[in-house]
Amino acid sequence: MKVLLVGGGGREHALAWRIAGSPLLTRLWCAPGNPGIAQHAECVPIGAEDIPALVAFAREQAVDLVVAGPEAPLTIGLADACAAAGIACFGPSAAAARLEGSKAFTREVADAAGVPGAAWARFTDPSAARAYIRRTGAPIVVKADGLAAGKGVVVAATVDEAEAAIADIMESRVHGASGAEVVIEECLVGQEVSFFALCDGTDALPLAAAQDHKRVGDGDTGPNTGGMGAYSPPSVFTEALREEVMARIIRPTLAEMVRRGTPFRGVIFAGLMITDAGPRLIEFNVRFGDPECQALMLRLEGDLLAALHAACTGRLSEVSLGWSAEPSLVVVMAARGYPGTPAKGGAIRGLDAAGAVPGVTVFQAGTARGPEGGIVASGGRVLGIAARGPDLAAARDAAYCAVAAVDWADGFCRRDIGHHALPHPGTIKAA
């Protein structure tokens, strides 16, 4: 099977790494890819949102399956364009991708499907939004309605913080047009979990769960980011909870999407809050999470490519995937300045030494080749140092041992990934 993977981040590196091991694979391209992905795929210089060029390449190369990594290409119609060209695409139509492209749309679908979630309201007028916040009080959650690279959510502890978020999102437009409308939600209390399932329009195959670390600083402090690390499986997410989430959240949502004439095919990512009253939906995403995907791919047992293709062709019932009992953990190394303006161009050394630590796999995200051929930083989240081990503490220790082997002056990371399950952070050791 010839496969074109779309994207160039850590999630795509993890997917390429796993797809490359499939016995079904005959050739793998990635557009645009990165130097790490180039170890497993032929990288082609096509942007992830250049839909006409992606489809033209897929037709020229007789690609059997296009796999969409990030959400943006899906929300602007990659799957639709592939379908029009007769090419299978793993990912939802633009209409179904609104589950991520619009927070308000997600809430409407969830309400219609009876999915448990937070109380919410939507606003296009900043004054009305502020008045609602003053009436409701804090803590409260303010979300840009559209895509914002994982940074469009503010969990405000005070009314002043919430009003400042309205000013930033709706008036200063820090997230561009995505902030023309906001969704304001009740602040749910509990542990946040990311849960994933493959969908073929009507059927769903549960995958696994992970716990992300959104805040930039240790102890869950500082602004939200795209994710500073993750581990899988989270102990709070039991088998009974998985069944409840499938029955009360995933399957009713799929049925509602069918009722609307926009069946969902691809991977659905449910951001959940595990509260004292049970699981509640925070948001849906229409792609694998990043960095959660890196943690999941380390635990996956089975043919990922076969499962992705089955989701496109309505054959999920024929697929079986297993998961290692060994937990995994990924530490994101980000560039100084992230989640604001990251420092770019700094040389990164020691990746081979980091990858030589037992149990460790290094995934590249925001990297590029420098003028002299070495690896340099080219983004905000730059590396995913992932490890699997006999227990979570061993996986954590291996990951941080590998972090210590990376020589990158501009790099930083959180030192407490996994702290919900491991109260005492590991010591950074020399490789």
Side-chain angles (χ1 to χ4, degrees):
M1 189 180 298
K2 296 180 180 180
V3 178
L4 172 62
L5 174 63
V6 177
R11 164 185 47 229
E12 289 76 39
H13 189 172
L15 291 172
W17 175 72
R18 184 55 72 186
I19 290 170
S22 170
L24 299 178
L25 184 72
T26 56
R27 195 167 180 184
L28 176 60
W29 295 273
C30 188
N34 67 41
I37 293 172
Q39 301 169 38
H40 315 287
E42 299 173 51
C43 294
V44 293
I46 302 173
E49 297 176 42
D50 190 346
I51 306 301
L54 290 169
V55 173
F57 180 86
R59 294 182 74 167
E60 290 165 5
Q61 299 295 334
V63 165
D64 298 296
L65 178 65
V66 173
V67 177
E71 63 277 12
L74 293 168
T75 61
I76 60 175
L78 174 61
D80 307 80
C82 286
I87 303 165
C89 179
F90 177 76
S93 66
R98 290 188 68 205
L99 281 176
E100 180 162 1
S102 169
K103 305 293 191 301
F105 177 78
T106 292
R107 285 301 175 195
E108 290 172 352
V109 170
D111 287 351
V115 169
W120 68 284
R122 65 197 298 179
F123 298 93
T124 56
D125 176 45
S127 297
R130 288 190 178 93
Y132 179 83
I133 288 166
R134 291 168 191 150
R135 289 196 307 272
T136 306
I140 199 164
V141 181
V142 180
K143 298 180 176 181
D145 181 65
L147 298 180
K151 303 172 191 173
V153 177
V154 176
V155 181
T158 66
V159 167
D160 286 346
E161 287 181 19
E163 291 195 33
I166 295 298
D168 287 343
I169 294 171
M170 301 191 77
E171 295 169 337
S172 299
R173 294 292 177 93
V174 294
H175 305 300
S178 294
E181 182 172 354
V182 297
V183 170
I184 300 177
E185 296 179 355
E186 167 193 9
C187 186
L188 299 174
V189 178
Q191 284 203 48
E192 194 169 342
V193 167
S194 304
F195 176 70
F196 302 85
L198 294 183
C199 310
D200 65 7
T202 56
D203 197 11
L205 174 69
L207 296 179
Q211 192 161 62
D212 190 14
H213 297 63
K214 284 291 187 189
R215 301 279 190 165
V216 73
D218 289 358
D220 296 323
T221 57
N224 272 343
T225 71
M228 294 299 294
Y231 67 97
S232 177
S235 58
V236 70
F237 199 75
T238 63
E239 182 69 22
L241 270 176
R242 187 187 79 162
E243 294 306 314
E244 183 178 357
V245 168
M246 290 297 295
R248 298 187 63 197
I249 296 177
I250 302 298
R251 291 195 174 98
T253 298
L254 294 184
E256 174 61 18
M257 294 298 283
V258 169
R259 188 191 71 79
R260 290 170 177 250
T262 55
F264 186 93
R265 299 180 183 89
V267 63
I268 195 164
F269 164 3
L272 307 171
M273 188 68 77
I274 310 303
T275 72
D276 290 341
R280 297 290 182 267
L281 178 70
I282 300 172
E283 64 182 6
F284 280 127
N285 295 306
V286 300
R287 37 69 188 183
F288 283 104
D290 194 358
E292 295 101 325
C293 184
Q294 300 171 45
L296 263 58
M297 291 303 105
L298 259 65
R299 295 187 56 228
L300 178 67
E301 295 179 340
D303 191 340
L304 175 66
L305 179 55
L308 301 183
H309 192 256
C312 298
T313 54
R315 295 184 296 103
L316 270 182
S317 60
E318 303 172 17
V319 171
S320 177
L321 291 174
W323 299 89
S324 171
E326 292 191 340
S328 59
L329 181 145
V330 56
V331 178
V332 169
M333 296 191 72
R336 174 174 46 84
Y338 180 78
T341 303
K344 296 183 180 180
I348 303 171
R349 304 178 182 88
L351 295 181
D352 288 343
V357 175
V360 167
T361 302
V362 176
F363 295 115
Q364 295 185 35
T367 62
R369 288 286 177 191
E372 299 178 3
I375 301 297
V376 300
S378 64
R381 293 184 299 163
V382 176
L383 300 172
I385 310 298
R388 202 177 90 177
D391 55 44
L392 190 59
R396 174 200 61 191
D397 291 348
Y400 279 114
C401 180
V403 165
V406 176
D407 178 11
W408 175 29
D410 291 328
F412 76 95
C413 66
R414 280 184 58 163
R415 307 287 170 160
D416 64 345
I417 302 303
H419 71 90
H420 287 295
L422 298 168
H424 304 290
T427 300
I428 305 292
K429 304 174 184 178

